[in-house]
Amino acid sequence: MRHAVPLTAVVGMLLLTSCGSEQAGGPAGTTAAASATGTPTASSCGVRPSGTPEATDAPALVGDPAELKRDGVEITGMSGGADACAAFEVTNEGAEPLTYTITFTFLSASGEALTSPKETVRSVKPGETVRRTVAMAGLASGQVGDTAENLPVNPGSDLAGDPSQAPSQDLSQDPPRGATRVRILQVRSIPTTEEPSTGGACPPSGVRLYADEGDAAMGLRVVGLRLENCGTRNYPLNGYPDVALLGEDHAPVTGVRVLDGPGGIATGTGADGVPAPVNLKPGERAHATLVWRNTTEAGLDAVHAPYARVRAKPGTDPVTVTSEFDLGTTGRLGVGPWKPLEEGAGRPRP
């Protein structure tokens, strides 16, 4: 039976295409404070506005402090219920601009995980703090500040004018149950200069390089690398992508062999074959396959590398992909050669 959709949800979906995720700029060491039209504000998500007397009641954050602040991200307020939202801050304590992807989990009073929305905060400068909000249902998100001022949406932001970016929602199902607390489940950060590109303006390199969502079956993992020539000249390839695994601290992972080809890990994954020259004309694409297993052996330490720094070929600018390489104790990652990708063709599934 279909259930009535809360008016707030309808309004949220209608506003999404006019809501941006552009972060406010500012010199290093400053705090970005802005509010995107139609998104939850800091005060509506449990943050006391500037100048409010300390005696004013404000919702208390509940949960393990380690789940409320980690890896440069801090939850600063929450409003519970069926339309729960949380306010958070991202502070870059590094030496270069970083792009953050944060996974939150909203929980019920019994501790049941209700939803786990992701938020991406791009180009946070060294020393900068950026404020945002996240909604439990994923209907709207954006920057927040301590004032009610609404700033215009930046045309270059992720969501501006692009309805396809709106999260899908099955309106035939019951709405999420009320949340009473929120936690930070995971934080990933990569140098903004190494952020994968799947669309928009063509990078200076003339190519877009990114990883797909990957497949997993019976302990086998397969991730596809995609490369598109978005430039004006042919782009030659001949060989394997240059792949280096990085840990949570962004340092190179030791004890793992990166192999040319599947290395006996599995067959039929797309990583098979020998390198052959590929000359991509403008608009053409190529693909390569990464394959590994996450099996473990008793008594050995399992390896988990969140990131891989990938170069299409030696000497080119790197891209960092976040594919969560759970290598178990196998110590091997197979890398397939570059191959032409025909329009509409997909890679083999494991």
Side-chain angles (χ1 to χ4, degrees):
M1 180 177 69
R2 297 180 65 87
H3 296 269
V5 181
L7 179 59
T8 53
V10 175
V11 173
M13 287 184 288
L14 291 176
L15 288 174
L16 185 58
T17 56
S18 65
C19 297
S21 60
E22 175 71 12
Q23 66 185 51
T30 64
T31 296
S35 176
T37 303
T39 64
T41 62
S43 57
S44 70
C45 294
V47 176
R48 183 187 292 112
S50 296
T52 302
E54 290 297 323
T56 300
D57 291 335
L61 288 172
V62 178
D64 185 340
E67 296 179 341
L68 299 175
K69 182 178 181 179
R70 57 180 293 187
D71 302 325
V73 180
E74 180 177 6
I75 297 172
T76 57
M78 179 194 171
S79 175
D83 297 319
C85 65
F88 66 96
E89 296 179 348
V90 179
T91 301
N92 181 359
E93 298 177 351
E96 60 183 326
L98 297 175
T99 290
Y100 293 79
T101 300
I102 310 116
T103 305
F104 299 88
T105 298
F106 286 89
L107 302 105
S108 67
S110 65
E112 177 188 3
L114 301 176
T115 60
S116 294
K118 285 187 178 183
E119 288 295 318
T120 298
V121 183
R122 290 188 164 87
S123 302
V124 183
K125 300 180 182 68
E128 184 182 33
T129 294
V130 175
R131 295 172 179 161
R132 293 283 185 92
T133 60
V134 56
M136 181 175 74
L139 294 179
S141 63
Q143 288 177 289
V144 297
D146 292 328
T147 70
E149 179 183 5
N150 291 324
L151 299 184
V153 175
N154 187 312
S157 67
D158 293 356
L159 302 181
D162 187 358
S164 67
Q165 297 297 319
S168 60
Q169 184 182 35
D170 185 353
L171 300 182
S172 67
Q173 303 298 317
D174 292 325
R177 284 162 287 172
T180 62
R181 62 189 180 96
V182 64
R183 67 185 179 190
I184 302 169
L185 184 62
Q186 184 185 82
V187 178
R188 296 292 183 245
S189 61
I190 61 175
T192 299
T193 56
E194 298 180 14
E195 187 176 354
S197 172
T198 60
C202 187
S205 64
V207 297
R208 296 190 181 98
L209 177 58
Y210 59 96
D212 64 20
E213 293 298 319
D215 289 312
M218 300 296 290
L220 178 64
R221 306 288 192 255
V222 179
V223 168
L225 297 177
R226 302 295 181 96
L227 186 146
E228 177 188 355
N229 182 358
C230 56
T232 58
R233 300 179 179 180
N234 289 2
Y235 192 86
L237 295 166
N238 187 7
Y240 301 90
D242 182 9
V243 178
L245 295 175
L246 307 177
E248 290 201 30
D249 58 357
H250 300 88
V253 171
T254 59
V256 176
R257 291 181 297 156
V258 179
L259 308 172
D260 290 342
I265 297 171
T267 59
T269 62
D272 311 87
V274 296
V278 178
N279 191 28
L280 295 180
K281 297 177 181 178
E284 292 184 337
R285 299 183 298 164
H287 72 110
T289 302
L290 308 180
V291 58
W292 72 95
R293 291 191 181 274
N294 76 330
T295 52
T296 59
E297 183 178 338
L300 299 177
D301 293 331
V303 173
H304 182 90
Y307 315 102
R309 179 170 284 131
V310 181
R311 288 179 168 84
K313 53 187 177 180
T316 58
D317 293 334
V319 165
T320 296
V321 300
T322 309
S323 296
E324 304 295 339
F325 298 88
D326 53 341
L327 296 155
T329 58
T330 62
R332 294 185 299 170
L333 173 69
V335 180
W338 286 115
K339 302 176 183 179
L341 182 64
E342 302 297 333
E343 196 65 34
R347 57 176 172 76
R349 303 178 70 91

